[in-house]
Amino acid sequence: MSLLRQPLLLLARSEKVKNLVTRMPVSAGIVRSYVPGEAAANAVDATARLVGDDLRVTLDYLGEDTLDVDQADATVHAYLDLLTALSARGLTRHAEVSVKLSAIGQALPQQGHKIALENARTICRAARNAGTTVTLDMEDHTTTDATLATLRELRKDFPETGAVVQAYLHRTEADCRALAYEGSRVRLCKGAYDEPESVAFQGRTDVDRSYIRCLKVLMAGQGYPMIATHDPRIITIASSLASRYGRGAGSYEFQLLYGARPEEQRRLAYAGETVRVYIPYGTEWYGYLMRRLAERPQNLTFFVRSLVSKK
Ligand SMILES: Cc1cc2nc3c(=O)[nH]c(=O)nc-3n(C[C@H](O)[C@H](O)[C@H](O)COP(=O)(O)OP(=O)(O)OC[C@H]3O[C@@H](n4cnc5c(N)ncnc54)[C@H](O)[C@@H]3O)c2cc1C
């Protein structure tokens, strides 16, 4: 792993640095390349463009670690407005939403689990009424059990709700076995947080090996794997596993982040693969941006240049 990964992930949680960095306009270079804008209209326009290129989308209203009930409610309303806007533009057949439970109350000191579950239900109901689905993003390892418990509750009424698992966690291969049942939508990613050795693989090779083991479990299973990676090697292996396990187009999908390898997104779609692009939007882009920089420190030069050139 890059030497810069850990410090950047620490900065992702620093209020001081956040205040400094977020004063730069969102349109500044690197931010704009990963986040289409702060308003729902920017995200919906980006969705329409990608859908026009035969891509699917999942939208994330940025925000996390909310410690305020009103803020959690505001996030729920942002999702409801987004779903209404997507529906009005006829986009819900191709666009779903991704939700972080910590943005809708999970981290609240009292009854966080219950509040997040109720809020997630409200979003799932609105998504279903709009003809689409919700996926629960996965956050740091201290929330994994609570998030999977909320997922199980939600799936009683909304079995279409997507799960996310992170290959860097030691537990994830077992989680994949438990989740690989019929109708179960499961996004497999490497994992974006700074996790201790006690719970997570630390080296790139170990994480990649774990990803492949998890992917085999999901591809061999009965569920719907959502392969979230930009890694060219893993994308190639996933395509050959699909053939090995007799999975046709539409029985799994690739997922990539907005702004990451856009030509590859289109190449895969052109080759007949289902490809979904994850679009984050909103004012709370700081933590998201820091995780992207931690993954790709070569973007740092670009980032620092846009910081110092700000008015
Ligand atoms: C759709 C989606 C949803 C996600 N949801 C979650 C979530 O809920 N929870 C969570 O913890 N994490 C999530 N992640 C982030 C994920 O865990 C990784 O941190 C992130 O995807 C980077 O890992 P990678 O698989 O792309 O491989 P890496 O090991 O970061 O990169 C491998 C190779 O991929 C290429 N590559 C990687 N990034 C880029 C880029 N930006 N531009 C060009 N090439 C690149 C390079 O060739 C690189 O060497 C999500 C990722 C995606 C794509």
Side-chain angles (χ1 to χ4, degrees), residues 29-109:
I30 190 78
V31 184
R32 194 46 183 262
S33 68
Y34 280 109
V35 180
E38 298 193 344
N42 304 130
V44 174
D45 286 347
T47 301
R49 280 196 300 278
L50 292 168
V51 168
D53 281 343
D54 214 15
L55 298 161
R56 316 261 169 117
V57 167
T58 185
L59 291 124
D60 166 34
Y61 177 66
L62 289 164
E64 53 200 277
D65 298 336
T66 300
L67 293 170
D68 180 71
V69 180
D70 292 341
Q71 178 60 37
D73 284 348
T75 298
V76 174
H77 281 103
Y79 274 105
L80 302 187
D81 291 347
L82 172 67
L83 286 161
T84 304
L86 289 170
S87 193
R89 295 271 294 265
L91 292 168
T92 46
R93 214 159 64 82
H94 299 291
E96 63 141 30
V97 294
S98 283
V99 176
K100 284 188 176 47
L101 290 179
S102 81
I104 55 168
Q106 189 185 54
L108 291 169

Side-chain angles (χ1 to χ4, degrees), residues 42-307:
N42 304 130
V44 174
D45 286 347
T47 301
R49 280 196 300 278
L50 292 168
V51 168
D53 281 343
D54 214 15
L55 298 161
R56 316 261 169 117
V57 167
T58 185
L59 291 124
D60 166 34
Y61 177 66
L62 289 164
E64 53 200 277
D65 298 336
T66 300
L67 293 170
D68 180 71
V69 180
D70 292 341
Q71 178 60 37
D73 284 348
T75 298
V76 174
H77 281 103
Y79 274 105
L80 302 187
D81 291 347
L82 172 67
L83 286 161
T84 304
L86 289 170
S87 193
R89 295 271 294 265
L91 292 168
T92 46
R93 214 159 64 82
H94 299 291
E96 63 141 30
V97 294
S98 283
V99 176
K100 284 188 176 47
L101 290 179
S102 81
I104 55 168
Q106 189 185 54
L108 291 169
Q110 265 150 32
Q111 305 217 296
H113 177 73
K114 191 164 167 264
I115 293 169
L117 175 60
E118 282 319 306
N119 283 338
R121 260 193 227 290
T122 304
I123 300 172
C124 286
R125 201 174 300 117
R128 183 183 281 175
N129 289 340
T132 189
T133 51
V134 174
T135 294
L136 296 185
D137 280 352
M138 189 58 86
E139 301 177 66
D140 72 77
H141 82 278
T142 62
T143 64
T144 310
D145 280 327
T147 299
L148 292 178
T150 302
L151 176 85
R152 281 191 295 275
E153 281 301 308
L154 283 174
R155 280 189 171 178
K156 289 179 188 163
D157 295 320
F158 305 99
E160 65 274 27
T161 308
V164 178
V165 289
Q166 298 153 316
Y168 64 14
L169 294 184
H170 300 147
R171 60 178 287 164
T172 296
E173 196 178 337
D175 287 335
C176 287
R177 288 187 205 290
L179 284 165
Y181 56 86
E182 200 174 337
S184 172
R185 299 166 61 243
V186 184
R187 176 195 301 159
L188 174 63
C189 63
K190 289 190 187 178
Y193 298 81
D194 182 27
E195 299 290 16
E197 233 179 305
S198 52
V199 298
F201 299 109
Q202 303 293 310
R204 189 175 284 274
T205 311
D206 287 337
V207 175
D208 289 357
R209 284 197 183 124
S210 169
Y211 195 106
I212 300 303
R213 289 194 299 275
C214 294
L215 186 58
K216 282 184 180 160
V217 172
L218 294 178
M219 292 297 247
Q222 303 298 307
Y224 180 81
M226 303 188 280
I227 306 152
T229 186
H230 314 105
D231 193 324
R233 274 187 52 231
I234 293 183
I235 291 173
T236 305
I237 293 172
S239 296
S240 58
L241 285 176
S243 318
R244 189 198 298 176
Y245 292 113
R247 280 184 176 268
S251 67
Y252 65 95
E253 70 185 37
F254 287 104
Q255 297 192 342
L256 296 92
L257 300 178
Y258 179 84
R261 306 194 70 202
E263 327 72 40
E264 177 67 358
Q265 297 173 8
R266 285 172 182 76
R267 185 196 70 78
L268 285 166
Y270 188 71
E273 299 285 6
T274 303
V275 182
R276 192 176 297 277
V277 179
Y278 183 107
I279 301 185
Y281 74 100
T283 54
E284 292 292 317
W285 42 261
Y286 174 75
Y288 179 85
L289 178 71
M290 285 294 142
R291 290 196 290 277
R292 302 294 76 84
L293 291 178
E295 278 150 25
R296 223 171 144 62
Q298 53 265 60
N299 282 338
L300 259 181
T301 327
F302 188 26
F303 177 62
V304 171
R305 209 178 294 141
S306 65
L307 257 186

